[in-house]
Amino acid sequence: MLSKETQEKLFPTLKKYFGYDTFREQQQEIIESVLSKKDNLVIMPTGGGKSMCFQLPSLLFEGITLVISPLIALMKDQVDGMNANGISADFYNSSQEKSEQLAIFDKVIRKEIKLLYVAPESLQLLENILNETHVSCIAIDEAHCISSWGHDFRPSYQQLGFLKKILPNTPIIALTATADKATRQDIIQQLNITNATQFLSSFDRANIELEVRPGNDRIVQVLKFIREKPEESGIIYCLSRKSTEQLASKLQQNGIKAASYHAGLSFEVRTQTQEDFIYDKTQVVCATVAFGMGIDKSNVRWVIHYNMPKNIEGYYQEIGRSGRDGIESKALLFHSYSDVIQLRKFTEGASNKEVQIAKLERMKQFSEATTCRRKILLSYFGELLAKNCGNCDVCKNPPEFFNGTVIAQKALSVITRLKEKEGAGLVIDVLRGAHNAMVIDRGYDKLKSHGIGKDISWRDWQQYIIQLTNQGYCEIAFHKNNALQLTNFSKKVLFENEIVSLTRPVEIKEQVKAQKGATTKKPKKDTLFERLRKLRQEISLAENIPAYLVFNDATLKEMERARPMCESDLLEISGVGQRKLEVYGEDFIAEIVSFSNEKIDKRKKNDTHKVTFELYKEGLTIDEIAKKRNLKPTTIFSHLAKLFTDGEDIDIYNFVTKEEVETVRKAQDKLENPPALKPYFEYLNEKMEYFKIRLALTIIDKES
Ligand code: ADP
Ligand code: ZN
């Protein structure tokens, strides 16, 4: 049991060091269990908030907490994060100089460190320290690495069993995002923590919006997607090293700060790329799956799968790298037939080929689903979602079914005519009546069914054929050059008039012209969030810590909403703890105050227009309004011009004639649109009054 004294410290510690007011699901129970010195196994999805489960207890324990972590990059990041929160933490690994290591030893012995991150291979070196200092808790991060069942086995993890032997009374907390039973069992056995309490959190990451699109014109779609989010960090996963490079260079050509990342690059290049991404210097990383493991960056706002992943585990882990801060983020998956074929090829020769193919099949089903995608994902992990999620493309845009029997009959009869020997591409060519070399060589243009599907576009046929295969009306013979073949169900459609339901293919609006090479970006909005983000970026550069460790996006969003203008209000914001208040508080408050003042000034200006408008509507003349408001008539005219531009009902031609507008228009052409009024005034021989010129220009501007 936890002492009352410790119990009472939980929330104040959470607020003081992390700035949060509430625990996330299960965190409190886990922390209480750790503090009661029990062993624990924690399974939580990526971004679920695992670190808190050992970081917070470390502050309440007498001695040091050891954190075993496999990735050096991840260690540094976590330590930076801890330090930013005012917690003394450090790391110890083989990348450090001997002198650095000794300095850390010293700090440990002098009890100046609460949390020490260690790579498993460096642990033996620390053994003597373990005897000299009091280790209060051992956290084993990425604990699945211990299991050869897992997808990320690391031999150095297998020695960790010795910890329980030499420190039998020190609680161990093992944490991972990998859920399956065999791995869980293995972790417990190997760590000798058979009495561990297991905590299984929900795998739902409701803040990630899920979307699947057909993979046509991917590059165009990707460019449009990124342009709509000019400041947001994202990762694009590709199947091959080459495609990461091609895609990154394409994005660069379009003015996007992008880089590629894959195992073929040197260690230095990879580290630099990762760091530039963490520090928001690179917006987009095009990567093979290798990227992201060691990254805790909480403000990754989106993940795109340029190619289909091999299985749902991989997909879920990768999309989990977005939105760790819990605010809206997006996962977009491109689904293409050729990817499936490619991925099947990869399974050839694998010892567990059957398993791999089955997993790929589930992935394919997910991509082609016509029901809530999150339900499918969670059910894959053994979780039942009671309601549709409302945050996936299927929920947002439920498919429209229609009677597609004739379409199916046309496709199946062409497959029959082609003797079940040709792949989808040629089947569609024949349906559409193409006269290309292949069609003519093989005499398919002579077939009666050549061109029976002319009325349907190539793209739509592709979609329909995918749907027909999904529903079992035809199948792909992977071992025979991916030829489309008939099934038992085909006959029902061809000869028994079985009704086939199809859904309308998704329209890709991005098709419209002009995308090639166009670099127009959405202009940045002048919002408080943008200003705070900029301030955060400046601090990040000055202090050399990643921007999201200054404050995460969720915290900035809340500042934008609540607009705290004094220290005590700022401290109320989730994510603002004691140290961050002291170090960054003043800057952020100043930014919020100055932003708010600007807005008030702007509003005042708008208000003065409104007063003029009210008087105008009452029927007062310009001179009367000016007199009443103690302003110059020219000022009132400028108000009217503004009101007119804003679409208010102003009879502008009462003050300037159509002819005068034309005169000004001509002057504008001649003068090549000068920025001031004076050139007009002079050009028109000083005969037209300034206010008329202004009104005429307002009209011309609005018309264009
Ligand atoms: P995991 O290790 O499970 O992938 P992290 O420990 O990196 O996840 O936590 C993900 C994010 O959630 C971090 O930005 C962290 O600050 C935030 N977080 C953790 N606990 C809380 C909480 N109780 N309230 C708000 N945010 C939290
Ligand atoms: Zn859904």
Side-chain angles (χ1 to χ4, degrees):
M1 264 308 284
L2 218 50
S3 72
K4 188 154 175 272
E5 199 194 334
T6 311
Q7 185 77 44
E8 279 172 354
K9 282 185 188 154
L10 291 184
F11 282 92
T13 310
L14 179 67
K15 183 64 206 170
K16 179 174 174 200
Y17 288 98
F18 302 91
Y20 301 133
D21 298 309
T22 51
F23 286 105
R24 287 215 186 132
E25 198 191 270
Q26 290 210 320
Q27 276 178 338
Q28 188 176 352
E29 282 170 82
I30 297 168
I31 288 169
E32 286 175 359
S33 174
V34 172
L35 287 168
S36 331
K37 307 208 166 140
K38 289 191 203 137
D39 294 329
N40 302 283
L41 173 62
V42 172
I43 317 282
M44 242 185 221
T46 315
K50 286 188 282 299
S51 324
M52 181 69 77
C53 302
F54 55 83
Q55 287 171 346
L56 191 142
S58 78
L59 295 162
L60 299 177
F61 276 130
E62 211 14 65
I64 196 170
T65 294
L66 277 187
V67 187
I68 322 288
S69 166
L71 293 144
I72 294 176
L74 186 88
M75 272 183 213
K76 181 173 176 327
D77 198 32
Q78 290 223 355
V79 167
D80 283 346
M82 292 293 86
N83 291 338
N85 281 330
I87 300 169
S88 59
D90 221 319
F91 60 89
Y92 178 96
N93 62 43
S94 53
S95 76
Q96 293 163 313
E97 302 277 326
K98 193 82 204 152
S99 58
E100 269 180 276
Q101 293 184 336
L102 287 175
I104 291 165
F105 273 7
D106 265 2
K107 280 204 245 172
V108 171
I109 290 164
R110 279 189 267 117
K111 301 200 169 162
E112 286 171 9
I113 297 181
K114 288 264 88 179
L115 275 151
L116 182 67
Y117 286 75
V118 195
E121 47 276 7
S122 310
L123 205 56
Q124 299 288 354
L125 287 174
L126 278 175
E127 229 188 296
N128 44 353
I129 284 208
L130 302 185
N131 299 327
E132 281 186 49
T133 189
H134 181 50
V135 179
S136 291
C137 177
I138 299 168
I140 299 176
D141 211 359
E142 313 285 350
H144 60 276
C145 294
I146 205 168
S147 169
S148 48
W149 286 102
H151 52 85
D152 196 28
F153 173 58
R154 280 160 197 258
S156 61
Y157 255 65
Q158 285 204 307
Q159 40 152 333
L160 295 180
F162 84 100
L163 287 167
K164 196 75 215 173
K165 289 185 186 143
I166 61 165
L167 296 167
N169 299 319
T170 305
I172 288 183
I173 170 173
L175 312 102
T176 171
T178 300
D180 80 81
K181 235 182 182 160
T183 310
R184 258 187 276 158
Q185 213 41 51
D186 217 13
I187 295 173
I188 286 180
Q189 295 282 320
Q190 296 207 45
L191 290 177
N192 296 313
I193 50 169
T194 38
N195 289 325
T197 316
Q198 291 196 36
F199 293 93
L200 265 168
S201 295
S202 162
F203 264 63
D204 192 9
R205 295 282 307 281
N207 63 314
I208 304 177
E209 183 187 338
L210 306 170
E211 186 182 352
V212 181
R213 291 188 200 165
N216 314 78
D217 294 332
R218 274 175 257 202
I219 182 74
V220 177
Q221 297 196 57
V222 168
L223 281 171
K224 175 151 193 288
F225 183 93
I226 299 176
R227 283 201 190 105
E228 282 168 359
K229 317 168 171 13
E231 291 293 312
E232 297 182 359
S233 296
I235 306 174
I236 307 180
Y237 287 108
C238 306
L239 211 53
S240 71
R241 295 176 182 186
K242 206 166 120 207
S243 54
T244 65
E245 285 173 5
Q246 285 168 341
L247 185 58
S249 101
K250 196 92 191 177
L251 298 182
Q252 285 159 6
Q253 284 162 23
N254 281 277
I256 295 162
K257 286 188 200 136
S260 70
Y261 183 105
H262 56 73
L265 297 167
S266 72
F267 178 74
E268 287 73 32
V269 172
R270 275 183 291 149
T271 313
Q272 189 60 47
T273 306
Q274 180 158 318
E275 188 161 314
D276 287 348
F277 185 59
I278 288 177
Y279 281 77
D280 292 348
K281 290 175 192 162
T282 296
Q283 188 199 349
V284 181
V285 173
C286 307
T288 50
V289 285
F291 185 73
M293 250 302 265
I295 291 194
D296 255 355
K297 185 174 160 71
S298 72
N299 65 336
V300 176
R301 291 267 65 88
W302 53 266
V303 165
I304 293 179
H305 281 91
Y306 200 74
N307 301 102
M308 200 149 101
K310 318 202 265 283
N311 53 46
I312 289 188
E313 285 93 338
Y315 169 72
Y316 204 60
Q317 193 173 48
E318 283 150 22
I319 66 168
R321 288 170 190 151
S322 66
R324 280 170 179 252
D325 49 17
I327 57 177
E328 284 171 23
S329 30
K330 192 152 181 174
L332 170 60
L333 163 70
F334 287 113
H335 168 45
S336 103
Y337 227 30
S338 50
D339 285 352
V340 178
I341 291 171
Q342 185 75 27
L343 287 164
R344 272 193 79 111
K345 273 199 200 127
F346 289 165
T347 66
E348 292 303 332
S351 58
N352 61 346
K353 180 177 165 190
E354 299 310 314
V355 179
Q356 290 194 19
I357 288 183
K359 290 197 168 194
L360 177 60
E361 192 54 35
R362 293 290 293 271
M363 187 66 224
K364 193 166 145 281
Q365 283 164 0
F366 166 80
S367 325
E368 290 155 355
T370 48
T371 56
C372 174
R373 295 201 201 270
R374 201 172 311 270
K375 267 194 170 165
I376 300 179
L377 274 185
L378 291 175
S379 83
Y380 185 84
F381 294 112
E383 231 178 278
L384 220 62
L385 196 64
K387 277 197 299 206
N388 287 345
C389 78
N391 198 22
C392 73
D393 55 339
V394 180
C395 283
K396 287 186 171 174
N397 243 328
E400 236 182 87
F401 286 94
F402 68 96
N403 184 338
T405 312
V406 175
I407 291 177
Q409 285 169 341
K410 285 180 179 174
L412 297 178
S413 66
V414 166
I415 295 173
T416 315
R417 299 279 169 206
L418 301 187
K419 306 214 162 59
E420 303 180 53
K421 277 197 323 222
E422 306 293 358
L426 208 49
V427 169
I428 298 175
D429 279 345
V430 173
L431 276 163
R432 304 235 335 113
H435 284 97
N436 59 32
M438 193 102 86
V439 171
I440 292 168
D441 276 359
R442 300 186 185 184
Y444 293 156
D445 54 330
K446 308 266 164 20
L447 295 176
K448 219 170 79 194
S449 45
H450 182 252
I452 49 168
K454 259 202 194 91
D455 52 325
I456 293 171
S457 73
W458 220 93
R459 185 189 310 277
D460 287 359
W461 268 123
Q462 229 178 354
Q463 295 287 307
Y464 289 139
I465 288 183
I466 290 175
Q467 292 185 36
L468 292 172
T469 14
N470 286 339
Q471 297 185 41
Y473 291 116
C474 54
E475 65 188 10
I476 307 169
F478 288 104
H479 51 292
K480 290 184 188 155
N481 281 330
N482 308 309
L484 280 181
Q485 301 197 327
L486 302 178
T487 65
N488 290 337
F489 290 126
S490 318
K491 299 189 184 77
K492 292 195 178 157
V493 179
L494 284 171
F495 310 114
E496 296 165 28
N497 259 327
E498 171 153 314
I499 291 181
V500 178
S501 277
L502 294 174
T503 66
R504 300 245 171 256
V506 191
E507 246 189 76
I508 310 169
K509 295 184 199 81
E510 287 78 2
Q511 292 309 307
V512 269
K513 53 171 186 175
Q515 249 111 9
K516 287 200 189 93
T519 48
T520 40
K521 278 190 187 169
K522 230 178 163 179
K524 270 180 242 171
K525 277 190 238 132
D526 182 29
T527 58
L528 180 55
F529 181 75
E530 285 308 329
R531 299 259 191 114
L532 297 176
R533 172 143 71 180
K534 217 169 135 234
L535 172 61
R536 177 177 76 173
Q537 182 69 2
E538 283 160 14
I539 295 175
S540 148
L541 292 177
E543 296 201 351
N544 202 27
I545 61 166
Y548 65 91
L549 289 183
V550 176
F551 286 124
N552 68 21
D553 282 7
T555 302
L556 296 193
K557 280 254 148 81
E558 210 187 315
M559 286 186 196
E560 180 180 44
R561 190 188 53 74
R563 302 216 176 170
M565 300 205 199
C566 65
E567 293 208 341
S568 62
D569 286 352
L570 187 61
L571 196 57
E572 294 283 299
I573 303 286
S574 170
V576 182
Q578 199 57 44
R579 177 172 183 275
K580 288 189 178 168
L581 177 75
E582 280 158 21
V583 186
Y584 310 127
E586 214 172 301
D587 287 347
F588 278 83
I589 289 171
E591 190 65 52
I592 294 168
V593 169
S594 95
F595 182 85
S596 304
N597 285 344
E598 278 172 38
K599 291 289 155 189
I600 290 170
D601 286 351
K602 236 188 195 153
R603 202 167 314 130
K604 273 196 194 138
K605 269 201 197 125
N606 284 339
D607 286 349
T608 180
H609 293 119
K610 273 199 201 118
V611 177
T612 296
F613 192 37
E614 288 309 315
L615 297 172
Y616 170 82
K617 279 193 288 191
E618 283 171 25
L620 272 68
T621 66
I622 300 304
D623 285 338
E624 284 165 348
I625 297 173
K627 205 160 174 198
K628 199 161 188 150
R629 299 208 54 199
N630 204 13
L631 293 168
K632 284 190 204 143
T634 48
T635 310
I636 304 302
F637 276 117
S638 78
H639 290 175
L640 290 185
K642 167 88 171 67
L643 290 161
F644 176 74
T645 307
D646 289 349
E648 297 296 357
D649 187 11
I650 305 285
D651 271 334
I652 199 115
Y653 287 109
N654 282 347
F655 310 107
V656 58
T657 66
K658 292 214 161 118
E659 291 72 37
E660 285 165 332
V661 174
E662 278 320 300
T663 310
V664 172
R665 196 193 301 275
K666 277 181 198 134
Q668 189 181 39
D669 282 347
K670 265 271 162 357
L671 298 168
E672 293 175 349
N673 201 9
L677 296 183
K678 197 160 178 226
Y680 288 95
F681 186 66
E682 285 169 358
Y683 179 82
L684 301 172
N685 303 322
E686 307 189 356
K687 283 202 178 110
M688 195 185 289
E689 288 163 277
Y690 271 107
F691 81 86
K692 288 199 173 190
I693 300 173
R694 168 179 300 230
L695 292 180
L697 286 171
T698 308
I699 293 170
I700 294 166
D701 215 36
K702 195 165 180 202
E703 280 173 358
S704 70

